[in-house]
Amino acid sequence: MSGLEHVDDYPEIPVSLASTSTILKTGAWRSVRPIFANRMAPCSAGCPAGVRIPAYIDDIKEGRLEAAYATVTARNPFPRITGRVCPHMCEDNCNLAITTGEESISIRSIERWLGDAGMDLPDPAADAETGKRIAVVGSGPAGMAAAYYLRRTGHEVTVFDQRPQPGGILRYGIPEYRLPSEVVDEEIARLESMEINFHNNVALGRDFTLDDLEAAYAAVFIATGAGQEKLTGIDGEGLLESGLDFLEAANRGTATLPGPRCAVVGGGNVAMDVARVLRRLGADVSVLYRRTANEMPAIAEEYEHAVADGVHFHWLVLPRTIKKDGAQLRVTVEEMWLGEPDESGRLRPEPTGVTCEMHFDGVFSAIGETADTGVFPPRLRNDDGWLDLGEDGETVDQMVFAGGDLATGPATVIEAIVAGRRAARAIDEQLGFSAVWPAEEPLEVVPPKDINLTYMPHHDRSDDHAAAGATAPASFAEETDTLSEAEILEEIDRCLSCGHCNNCGTCFVFCPDGAIIWDDGPRIDHEFCKGCGICVAECPGHVMVLVNERDVSHA
Amino acid sequence: MRWVVPEAEHMAEGTLGCQGCGGALSMRLVLKELGKDTVAVLPACCWSIIDGPWPVHALDIPVLHTAFETAAVVATGVKAAKEIQGKDTTVVAWAGDGGTFDIGLQALSGAAERNEDIVFICYDNEAYMNTGIQRSSSTPTGTWTTTTPDQRPEARPKKDIMGIIAAHRIPYAATATAAYPEDLERKVRAAMAIKGGMRFLHLLSVCPPGWKMEADQAIEVMRRAVRTKVFPLYEIRNGREYTITRWPDDLPLEDYFSLQGRFKTLLEDEAMLELVRGNVEERWQILLDRHQRSHPELAGAE
C-alpha cells in the first residue's frame, strides 16, 4: 500500500487563483504599436468640399440621421442638390473600384437619400448674434453656401439677386428633370428659416454699386456667376440663340421651339442640357462638336443620357457660317481632325478645309460661359478683364470677396459651394470669428493597397441614376428617383469605410490577446497589446496603422 | 459590431502566447461560446505555458494541467465527478496536435469509443512548437521543422485525424479555424447542443514562430489554408454524415505556402509540390464525395 488510502492523504495541488493580467504586462514585449490613425478616405479627398463620406455613411448605417446630416452640412449645406447634380468626383477615387474593378460605392445616391431624409431636420442653430451685417450678391450655389455659413456664425446676412427668385443657376440653368425647382424652393426655405434675408429683382450696377454695399455692410461676397454665352466667332453670330437664355426660358416655362430640327454648338454641360431640353420639347436635335466624345467637357453621365434621349452627335465639325435660307438656317460646317494635345491635355482640333452644309430651324450656342465683370470697379479687375482674386476669393478691397463661376468660369455646383464656404471662412477670419471654424490639418489618404479585400462586398451597386434617359423623353418631371432606405443600407454595406472606424469589430474579434476592449467600439489596451499587427492587417478600411514604439514611447 | 461573435471574454489579458498566437485566439473564441460553466483539461502543450505560471492563470474557468497522454481520460473523470455532483458543467479536453495525434491518441480513442460526454478540442499547429518545433504526425508533407530540416523535409502526409475520429462514430466532429470566427462559433454551439456523447473539434491554429512567418499574417494564412483546400471546413455527424460548411475557391496552393518560411524548400521542389498537390486534391475529392453522398438532395448543386 502506498499509504494514500484516503482522499485527505493526497498532497495539496498547487492552484493558481490570480489572473495573468495582474502581473504579466505583456505590452512590454511590443516593438510596434497599433493606433487608430486619423486618415482620410480617398472619396473624401476626391470631393472638392472634402465631405467626410465614410463618417456620414456610418452614421446612416447606425440610424444616426441627425449626425449624418450634420457631418455633410459641415462642408456642404445642400446634399439634396449635389446628391442630384454632382458629377461625384468622390466615386472616381473609390479604393474598392480601383483595386477590384468592382463598381464604386454609389456615394451620390446615398448623399441624395440623406438630403431628402434630412430635409425636415433642424439646421444647427446660429451662434449668438454678432451684430455684423454681411451682403452676398448672387444667390446661386456659391452665394447660398456663403450665406449659410456666415449665418451659422451669427452674422446678419442679406442675399441680393437680379432675378425674381433666388437660386441662380440651380433654378434658372439646370433643367427641371435633373433638379426640380421644388427642391430649390425647399432649400431656399431652409435658408429663410435660418433668418437669411433675400432681396430679389435687384442688380449690382443697376440698383446699387459695390461702393454702396461696402459702405453699409461689414463684408461683401460677390458670386454673380458666369451668365453669358461666349461668342462663337461664327459668321452669322446674330442668328444663334444663347443656350443659357434658352435654359432660363425653359425653367420659367416660356421656352418655344424655333422648329422641329435644332442644333446645339458645343460639348459642355450647357450643351447637353440644351439638347436634352430641346428633345423634351419635341425637336430632333443634333449636337455639333469640334472634337470627339473623348474630349467633351460634359459630365460623361449627361452625355450618356443625351444619347439615350435620342440626341444625335456630330463629331469633328466646326460651324463656320450661318445664313438664313427661307424659314430655315443653312449652317456651313468645316470638318476637323485631331492634332497634338493643347494646354488642357485634350487633342486639338485642326481644320481640314473640307466643308459641308446642314439645315436647321434653330441653332443654339453653348461653347462656354463667361462672366460680365463690367459692373465691378476697375480696381478689382486684372488685365484680362477677370476679377483679380486671392486663394480665398479676396480682392484689393479688404472686406470684399468673390467666388464661384464668376471667378472660375463654368464649374460644378460643388465647386461653387466650396468657394462660398471658403469665402465665408475668410470673412470670419477678417472679422475675428475664426474660432468657429474647425482646424484643418492635411491628412494622409488611405491608399488602395491598404484595404483588406477579404471584406469586399459580394453584391451589386444600387445607383439612382442608372435608369435615367433610358426611355423616350417626354416629360420634365425628375428623371431619377431617390433610392429607398433599404436600398441605401444595402449600398452602404458595400463600403469598406477607408480610414474611418465604423465599429465593424474585426480588430476585436481577431485579437489573440484580448487586448482590444469592446466599449460600444474598439479600444486598444496598450498595457497588454503585444504588437502582433493582426488588427492592422485585418482592418477592412485600414483605419489602424502600426507605429514604431520607439517613436511614441518617448513622445 | 458586424460579427456574430459574443462580446463576453473568459480569457484574461497577459497570456504567454507568442505574438499572433492562433492557439490563444482559438481558446479566446471557443470560450466565448462555451461560457463560464466549463472545466478545461490541458495536457502538456503550448497552452500549459500560455495559461501563465503559478500563481496566476488566464482563464476565468477551472483548468487542470495533466500529463501529456491523459487529456481525454482526465476529462472523462472530471465529467463523471460533475455528474455525481448533479452538475451539467461542460468538460473540455484542450490539447495540441501532440496531445491528440500522437501522445494523446490512445486515451482519445478510448474516450471516443466509449462515447464519453466530453468535448475534445485539438488546436493543431502542426508540430511540437513550445519544445522547439519538432515534427508531429500532424506535420504535413514538405514541411520544415527542426527535426525535418531543409535537407530532409517531412516526407509523410499529415495523419487523417478526422478520419480516425469518424471511425469511432461519435455524434459530432468538425474542423474549424479562427480565420472564420462565425463558422467556429457555430460549431462550438453545435457541439454544446449535443449532450451525452463525445464531441471533437479540430482547429487549425497558426503558430507564427513555428511556421516562420509574420505575426500580422496569422489570420490570412489560416484563411488561405481553407481557400486552397489544404484545411477544408466541414462537420461529421455520427461518423457518417459529412457537410462542407465553407466552400474553397481557386486560390493556388502556392499562395498558402508562400506566406510561410517552413515551406521554402517545398516551393523550390516541383516534384514534392506535385505530390502535395495530389494529396490535397485527393483528400478534397474524398470529402466532396462523402458530402455529396450525405446530401443526395443537393446533387448537382454545389
Side-chain angles (χ1 to χ4, degrees):
Chain A
M1 296 298 284
S2 65
L4 296 174
E5 287 168 15
H6 302 283
V7 172
D8 294 346
D9 295 337
Y10 279 87
E12 196 178 328
I13 300 171
V15 177
S16 297
L17 292 174
S19 161
T20 45
S21 62
T22 55
I23 57 168
L24 296 173
K25 307 298 181 189
T26 49
W29 301 7
R30 191 175 61 230
S31 62
V32 286
R33 170 188 297 208
I35 55 168
F36 287 95
N38 190 11
R39 302 213 290 174
M40 192 186 265
C43 48
S44 300
C47 172
V51 172
R52 299 294 187 257
I53 293 162
Y56 81 73
I57 281 183
D58 182 26
D59 284 332
I60 295 174
K61 188 184 73 176
E62 297 300 324
R64 299 185 293 254
L65 196 59
E66 284 189 39
Y69 198 69
T71 300
V72 175
T73 54
R75 290 172 174 277
N76 168 14
F78 310 114
R80 290 194 80 195
I81 291 171
T82 47
R84 286 171 163 80
V85 301
C86 192
H88 54 72
M89 301 77 142
C90 49
E91 295 182 19
D92 297 340
N93 273 15
C94 179
N95 274 344
L96 181 70
I98 292 167
T99 41
T100 65
E102 289 261 323
E103 286 188 283
S104 62
I105 310 302
S106 184
I107 298 167
R108 184 179 56 190
S109 301
I110 299 170
E111 179 188 25
R112 169 175 172 174
W113 177 87
L114 176 64
D116 285 3
M119 64 178 273
D120 295 326
L121 291 176
D123 275 285
D127 290 352
E129 299 294 334
T130 62
K132 304 283 185 190
R133 301 175 66 223
I134 317 261
V136 173
V137 187
S139 64
M144 285 166 69
Y148 175 88
Y149 288 110
L150 289 165
R151 180 66 199 129
R152 269 175 68 159
T153 307
H155 306 309
E156 183 190 325
V157 182
T158 305
V159 184
F160 299 91
D161 199 286
Q162 61 178 347
R163 290 193 174 80
Q165 284 182 281
I169 194 85
L170 303 174
R171 184 185 299 279
Y172 295 106
I174 299 174
E176 186 76 11
Y177 57 87
R178 285 179 63 201
L179 180 62
S181 51
E182 188 189 350
V183 172
V184 180
D185 289 340
E186 284 159 359
E187 292 299 279
I188 296 290
R190 260 179 72 209
L191 298 180
E192 285 172 336
S193 73
M194 293 170 71
E195 298 177 343
I196 291 169
N197 310 307
F198 286 91
H199 280 206
N200 304 320
N201 291 315
V202 285
L204 182 67
R206 184 187 72 197
D207 303 302
F208 54 85
T209 66
L210 186 58
D211 292 338
D212 296 339
L213 293 179
E214 287 191 61
Y217 292 89
V220 183
F221 177 59
I222 311 163
T224 46
Q228 292 186 331
E229 283 297 347
K230 283 185 194 163
L231 294 180
T232 57
I234 299 171
D235 181 9
E237 186 96 47
L239 297 171
L240 283 161
E241 296 186 43
S242 153
L244 270 187
D245 291 349
F246 175 74
L247 290 179
E248 178 165 348
N251 272 309
R252 289 172 185 260
T254 58
T256 51
L257 266 189
R261 276 176 57 79
C262 295
V264 181
V265 182
N269 290 317
V270 171
M272 296 305 108
D273 285 345
V274 171
R276 298 187 68 200
V277 168
L278 285 166
R279 282 292 291 148
R280 279 166 174 71
L281 293 173
D284 181 86
V285 184
S286 296
V287 168
L288 311 181
Y289 183 52
R290 60 191 179 133
R291 307 192 218 216
T292 73
N294 290 333
E295 293 82 28
M296 279 209 313
I299 300 169
E301 194 177 46
E302 280 305 305
Y303 162 60
E304 287 159 21
H305 294 169
V307 170
D309 279 351
V311 173
H312 309 298
F313 283 83
H314 299 270
W315 308 120
L316 295 167
V317 289
L318 181 62
R320 290 298 193 191
T321 62
I322 300 181
K323 289 198 169 71
K324 270 200 182 282
D325 187 359
Q328 283 203 312
L329 296 174
R330 186 172 73 233
V331 183
T332 306
V333 301
E334 180 171 357
E335 293 182 20
M336 312 298 279
W337 65 280
L338 291 178
E340 294 299 310
D342 63 11
E343 56 281 4
S344 73
R346 298 177 299 159
L347 300 181
R348 187 194 302 273
E350 307 281 1
T352 61
V354 180
T355 60
C356 67
E357 293 194 339
M358 305 170 104
H359 284 81
F360 297 103
D361 299 307
V363 181
F364 295 82
S365 71
I367 63 159
E369 295 73 40
T370 186
D372 174 13
T373 57
V375 296
F376 303 110
R379 63 178 187 277
L380 264 53
R381 286 178 271 165
N382 61 24
D383 296 341
D384 300 329
W386 287 84
L387 291 184
D388 197 6
L389 300 174
E391 201 169 303
D392 295 330
E394 60 269 36
T395 67
V396 290
D397 289 4
Q398 196 185 358
M399 294 318 298
V400 176
F401 293 76
D405 283 1
L406 165 67
T408 59
T412 58
V413 170
I414 190 67
E415 286 162 298
I417 289 171
V418 170
R421 182 179 183 273
R422 192 178 288 153
R425 183 180 193 130
I427 288 169
D428 271 350
E429 279 164 6
Q430 286 287 339
L431 294 176
F433 295 94
S434 51
V436 304
W437 291 84
E440 297 197 4
E441 75 274 34
L443 297 178
E444 189 201 344
V445 178
V446 179
K449 66 172 176 53
D450 278 5
I451 61 174
N452 191 332
L453 293 176
T454 301
Y455 306 102
M456 69 182 264
H458 294 286
H459 59 81
D460 293 337
R461 166 181 159 120
S462 312
D463 180 358
D464 58 24
H465 276 55
T471 50
S475 134
F476 282 89
E478 187 165 20
E479 63 180 341
T480 57
D481 291 319
T482 306
L483 296 182
S484 69
E485 184 172 357
E487 288 168 312
I488 288 301
L489 289 174
E490 198 170 312
E491 184 62 15
I492 285 175
D493 195 42
R494 299 177 66 236
C495 177
L496 292 179
S497 198
C498 301
H500 171 81
C501 178
N502 62 358
N503 292 345
C504 72
T506 304
C507 54
F508 167 75
V509 167
F510 287 125
C511 179
D513 298 304
I516 293 186
I517 315 292
W518 194 261
D519 273 332
D520 294 327
R523 175 170 62 78
I524 304 167
D525 187 349
H526 286 116
E527 197 176 4
F528 295 100
C529 164
K530 295 170 186 163
C532 68
I534 287 177
C535 49
V536 173
E538 291 301 314
C539 180
H542 210 84
V543 180
M544 306 172 87
V545 293
L546 282 179
V547 293
N548 198 311
E549 195 61 36
R550 207 176 38 214
D551 300 336
V552 283
S553 357
H554 302 297
Chain B
M1 189 158 52
R2 181 179 273 243
W3 296 85
V4 184
V5 169
E7 286 176 24
E9 297 283 2
H10 301 287
M11 185 184 92
E13 297 174 275
T15 68
L16 293 182
C18 303
Q19 290 170 333
C21 177
L25 177 57
S26 298
M27 176 69 91
R28 180 176 162 252
L29 291 175
V30 166
L31 279 183
K32 281 171 176 283
E33 285 294 348
L34 288 178
K36 271 205 86 162
D37 190 14
T38 302
V39 173
V41 177
L42 265 60
C45 61
C46 288
W47 253 97
S48 311
I49 308 298
I50 296 171
D51 195 37
W54 185 87
V56 296
H57 90 119
L59 306 183
D60 72 352
I61 59 166
V63 174
L64 263 88
H65 292 274
T66 73
F68 219 142
E69 66 277 28
T70 64
V73 71
V74 171
T76 300
V78 172
K79 183 68 192 180
K82 287 288 180 184
E83 271 174 23
I84 289 167
Q85 291 174 349
K87 289 181 181 159
D88 191 29
T89 304
T90 305
V91 181
V92 175
W94 178 271
D97 42 299
T100 305
F101 289 63
D102 297 345
I103 302 170
L105 187 62
Q106 176 274 133
L108 168 60
S109 177
E113 177 272 319
R114 296 189 304 274
N115 199 25
E116 297 289 354
D117 187 7
I118 61 170
V119 182
F120 193 106
I121 301 181
C122 171
Y123 67 104
D124 177 7
N125 49 32
E126 302 192 322
Y128 290 83
M129 290 309 185
N130 77 58
T131 52
I133 321 177
Q134 294 86 5
R135 76 170 290 272
S136 76
S137 61
S138 168
T139 305
T141 313
T143 308
W144 168 94
T145 65
T146 53
T147 48
T148 51
D150 282 349
Q151 298 84 338
R152 200 172 57 82
E154 175 61 51
R156 296 288 299 155
K158 181 183 175 97
K159 186 188 277 183
D160 179 11
I161 194 71
M162 289 297 283
I164 294 170
I165 293 297
H168 291 75
R169 304 253 165 126
I170 62 168
Y172 186 78
T175 64
T177 162
Y180 293 93
E182 287 167 333
D183 178 79
L184 169 63
E185 303 290 26
R186 190 187 63 73
K187 285 167 177 168
V188 176
R189 288 196 300 274
M192 298 272 287
I194 295 164
K195 302 277 183 190
M198 175 93 169
R199 284 117 329 137
F200 181 85
L201 295 179
H202 179 199
L203 311 182
L204 182 70
S205 292
V206 58
C207 172
W211 292 11
K212 291 186 158 300
M213 54 175 287
E214 297 295 333
D216 69 345
Q217 293 303 300
I219 306 302
E220 179 64 20
V221 79
M222 293 190 286
R223 194 155 44 221
R224 289 188 189 183
V226 174
R227 293 178 61 195
T228 55
K229 305 175 186 156
V230 167
F231 192 82
L233 298 185
Y234 59 100
E235 50 194 7
I236 311 171
R237 288 181 190 267
N238 302 313
R240 297 188 209 59
E241 292 167 43
Y242 283 71
T243 306
I244 296 169
T245 59
R246 175 97 207 175
W247 290 88
D249 50 45
D250 294 327
L251 194 70
L253 269 183
E254 288 83 345
D255 286 4
Y256 172 61
F257 295 142
S258 62
L259 283 181
Q260 307 170 59
R262 64 174 176 153
F263 294 119
K264 186 166 164 286
T265 46
L266 171 62
L267 280 170
E268 290 161 359
D269 184 344
E270 189 46 50
M272 188 171 271
L273 204 52
E274 200 48 48
L275 179 73
V276 168
R277 206 175 276 128
N279 284 348
V280 167
E281 193 54 38
E282 182 188 16
R283 287 192 182 193
W284 169 254
Q285 285 303 330
I286 291 170
L287 173 63
L288 186 61
D289 180 54
R290 286 172 173 166
H291 167 88
Q292 285 166 344
R293 273 193 283 168
S294 303
H295 299 279
E297 75 281 5
L298 300 177
E302 189 173 277

